[in-house]
Amino acid sequence: MADTRTENSRWIEIPLRDTEEVIELDLEQLPDGEEVLNILQHERAQLQIWLTLGLQYYRQGQVEDFVKIFEASRVGAALDYRDYQKDQMQALDTLAAHQVQLAHREKNKDLKKELFQEATKLYTMADKILMYDLNHLLGRAVFCLLEGRMEQADAQFNFVLVQSSNNIPALLGKACILFNRKDFKGSLGFYKKALRTNPQCPGSVRMGMGYCFARLGFNDKAKLAFERALELDPKCVSALVGLALMKMNQGEPESIRKGVQLLSNAYTLDSANPMVLNNLANHFFFKKDYAKVQHLALHAFHGTENEAMRSESCYQLARAFHSQGDYDKAFKYYYQSTQFASQSFVLPFFGLGQMYLEKNDSSNAGQCFDRVAKACPKNYETVKILGSLHSKSKETEKKDQAKEFLKKVTTEFPDDVEAWIELAGIMEQSDTAAALAAYEKAGDILQNKVH
């Protein structure tokens, strides 16, 4: 966009039509937006002037004036200068980005959809002007990312990086996509390249690196990354949460206290952040303060469209009700959590399986525990429950699975009396000697406990 400002960058000139005179406006003390819009329309000012003024109103927090000026520029601005197409594209892309920003904050699904549709329309119009402009492609890519269209976002970030290999927004976009695909090493590589390209990157880049390090098991590096992020940006909520979780996972009373304090700091900065709310709900669950768990988890659930976050919120609600003996509500929220859960989040399936057992629904319970066992084959409780469930099945295949499950339990936990008795009951039908040995083992354990 051409520079239409005077030598003193505080001022901008609007040429008066059919004269040699100009109107000078102080960019730091702009008059009423409607007045400026009327001047722009009456003098049919060049598009570049409209955009400069519109953006200045936005920077000053006068968003409504920014939108009016940008929208009116599409029909009211003069295009009698070189490379005006770039300014046309910028006008459309900026309005589209504004719609995307509004949609990202909007909680109402219908309104969110309308805002995304408006953004799509504006980006499509800009496509017809300069489809392969890098800034335009970056805006479109971020839009796709927020809509969850990862493949399209990835393709556009890749195109930008082919043209400009050190383009920082594209590098960060790739880092985000790879993190969502659980390629934490690849994601970390793009974060590092962005940091090498510009060592003055904001704290959020260090925060992203911290989460990559944590997922890769490099806890010391993760801690340093989160701490550096907070040095650069003390209000970086995600870094506070990351550091808090690391402290709390140490399990020591003092580290837990420090972790809770960090979460409290994050809550002070952003009391609607679902990640903060879910983690505080988790803390209060272990404190047995179920009223706070319900309040925080419900607030988190209604404050996000992210399915993984919603799944965790429902799980927190479910286990709070479960602990209080309200199995109907626990069942409802465990089930809802499984509908939102990612492949790796199996805790709600375990809880749902328990609820099905309460309802004497062995078939659905078995499906839930099977799901847990596939993700966590070494989980003792799951394997034992499946062994018990399948031992009662009429299917030979299920009974064989039960034997394997219970043998695994008795091998790893040889003092589990219940597992030995369950195993003996199955073995009675095929190997009486093995069944007798299992019963004897159970008897020995019981006798030792008595003595």
Side-chain angles (χ1 to χ4, degrees):
M1 192 168 78
D3 191 357
T4 58
R5 294 175 293 181
T6 62
E7 288 182 13
N8 182 346
S9 61
R10 276 188 56 172
W11 299 83
I12 187 169
E13 295 178 347
I14 303 177
L16 297 179
R17 193 159 50 170
D18 302 327
T19 73
E20 297 296 317
E21 297 180 5
V22 298
I23 295 175
E24 283 193 345
L25 295 178
D26 183 346
L27 289 173
E28 293 185 13
Q29 294 182 358
L30 288 170
D32 178 73
E34 285 290 343
E35 182 185 339
V36 170
L37 180 57
N38 289 334
I39 294 170
L40 291 169
Q41 289 173 324
H42 185 265
E43 305 305 332
R44 194 162 174 76
Q46 290 182 341
L47 177 59
Q48 58 190 346
I49 299 174
W50 292 65
L51 301 192
T52 299
L53 285 164
L55 287 172
Q56 193 62 23
Y57 277 110
Y58 183 87
R59 292 186 189 105
Q60 293 177 8
Q62 300 179 59
V63 177
E64 191 175 331
D65 290 324
F66 148 73
V67 172
K68 285 181 180 177
I69 289 171
F70 265 64
E71 286 184 341
S73 74
R74 289 160 60 184
V75 292
L79 305 174
D80 55 349
Y81 61 97
R82 187 178 175 183
D83 293 333
Y84 69 86
Q85 295 93 338
K86 281 205 167 190
D87 289 338
Q88 279 186 309
M89 181 204 69
Q90 185 191 356
L92 293 165
D93 280 354
T94 305
L95 277 174
H98 178 60
Q99 298 296 316
V100 172
Q101 193 176 52
L102 291 176
H104 188 53
R105 296 179 192 149
E106 182 57 57
K107 301 293 182 276
N108 183 288
K109 282 187 176 181
D110 292 333
L111 289 177
K112 184 187 283 283
K113 185 179 178 182
E114 286 178 20
L115 290 164
F116 275 142
Q117 286 173 341
E118 180 61 23
T120 300
K121 185 171 78 174
L122 290 163
Y123 277 128
T124 302
M125 291 167 69
D127 280 343
K128 296 173 183 175
I129 300 170
L130 289 170
M131 179 180 280
Y132 297 110
D133 179 271
L134 296 191
N135 287 328
H136 171 65
L137 287 171
L138 281 171
R140 253 199 174 286
V142 171
F143 176 39
C144 292
L145 201 58
L146 289 173
E147 274 202 308
R149 293 184 283 143
M150 294 291 176
E151 295 301 323
Q152 287 174 269
D154 196 29
Q156 292 181 45
F157 285 132
N158 285 337
F159 184 90
V160 172
L161 288 171
V162 168
Q163 311 301 314
S164 175
S165 62
N166 291 327
N167 185 288
I168 289 177
L171 291 170
L172 297 179
K174 286 288 293 182
C176 181
I177 288 170
L178 291 174
F179 189 91
N180 275 282
R181 290 176 177 167
K182 303 193 186 306
D183 180 358
F184 305 119
K185 187 176 180 181
S187 177
L188 181 61
F190 279 102
Y191 277 125
K192 284 182 173 179
K193 186 171 182 182
L195 194 59
R196 284 196 302 271
T197 303
N198 179 12
Q200 305 305 314
C201 275
S204 56
V205 175
R206 302 277 188 170
M207 178 271 293
M209 292 173 66
Y211 278 100
C212 289
F213 282 131
R215 291 299 186 98
L216 291 167
F218 302 131
N219 290 334
D220 290 342
K221 289 184 177 181
K223 180 175 176 288
L224 289 172
F226 289 137
E227 288 172 343
R228 179 59 179 148
L230 289 168
E231 284 175 19
L232 296 168
D233 178 10
K235 294 183 178 181
C236 184
V237 170
S238 295
L240 280 169
V241 173
L243 204 53
L245 293 178
M246 295 191 74
K247 294 278 186 190
M248 293 169 79
N249 286 339
Q250 289 173 18
E252 299 295 329
E254 181 59 18
S255 63
I256 291 172
R257 188 192 65 76
K258 288 180 180 177
V260 173
Q261 184 58 55
L262 288 166
L263 282 179
S264 298
N265 295 347
Y267 182 81
T268 302
L269 290 170
D270 186 358
S271 61
N273 185 297
M275 186 163 56
V276 175
L277 294 168
N278 279 334
N279 280 294
L280 280 172
N282 183 62
H283 167 68
F284 284 114
F285 173 80
F286 289 108
K287 300 284 281 186
K288 294 184 167 46
D289 191 340
Y290 302 124
K292 282 185 180 175
V293 174
Q294 290 170 41
H295 172 77
L296 292 162
L298 274 174
H299 192 21
F301 180 84
H302 291 297
T304 183
E305 292 293 318
N306 182 285
E307 292 196 346
M309 292 283 187
R310 288 191 140 196
S311 179
E312 187 174 346
S313 300
C314 289
Y315 173 69
Q316 298 294 351
L317 285 163
R319 64 180 187 160
F321 286 120
H322 189 168
S323 295
Q324 295 173 90
D326 190 340
Y327 295 145
D328 288 339
K329 284 184 181 175
F331 178 87
K332 171 189 169 183
Y333 283 110
Y334 278 133
Y335 181 81
Q336 204 167 350
S337 181
T338 63
Q339 301 307 294
F340 293 123
S342 65
Q343 283 294 111
S344 59
F345 187 45
V346 293
L347 289 173
F349 287 94
F350 190 93
L352 185 60
Q354 290 175 304
M355 293 301 100
Y356 277 124
L357 288 179
E358 284 290 329
K359 294 173 180 285
N360 294 315
D361 186 344
S362 299
S363 176
N364 278 317
Q367 290 177 29
C368 289
F369 290 117
D370 277 334
R371 174 73 181 269
V372 179
K374 282 178 185 174
C376 309
K378 294 183 178 179
N379 182 270
Y380 158 70
E381 289 182 335
T382 304
V383 172
K384 182 178 174 180
I385 291 169
L386 280 171
S388 179
L389 281 173
H390 291 340
S391 70
K392 298 175 179 66
S393 174
K394 294 179 181 177
E395 297 176 28
T396 305
E397 184 183 347
K398 293 284 187 187
K399 285 191 175 293
D400 289 342
Q401 285 178 348
K403 286 179 195 175
E404 295 307 313
F405 283 134
L406 291 168
K407 283 178 181 177
K408 188 174 182 181
V409 172
T410 54
T411 300
E412 294 184 19
F413 299 91
D415 291 334
D416 190 323
V417 176
E418 291 177 353
W420 282 110
I421 293 172
E422 292 269 14
L423 179 61
I426 300 174
M427 300 303 290
E428 280 181 6
Q429 301 161 36
S430 57
D431 188 340
T432 51
L436 185 59
Y439 279 127
E440 285 177 352
K441 180 66 176 175
D444 290 342
I445 296 167
L446 288 170
Q447 196 170 17
N448 288 334
K449 283 185 177 179
V450 171
H451 294 295

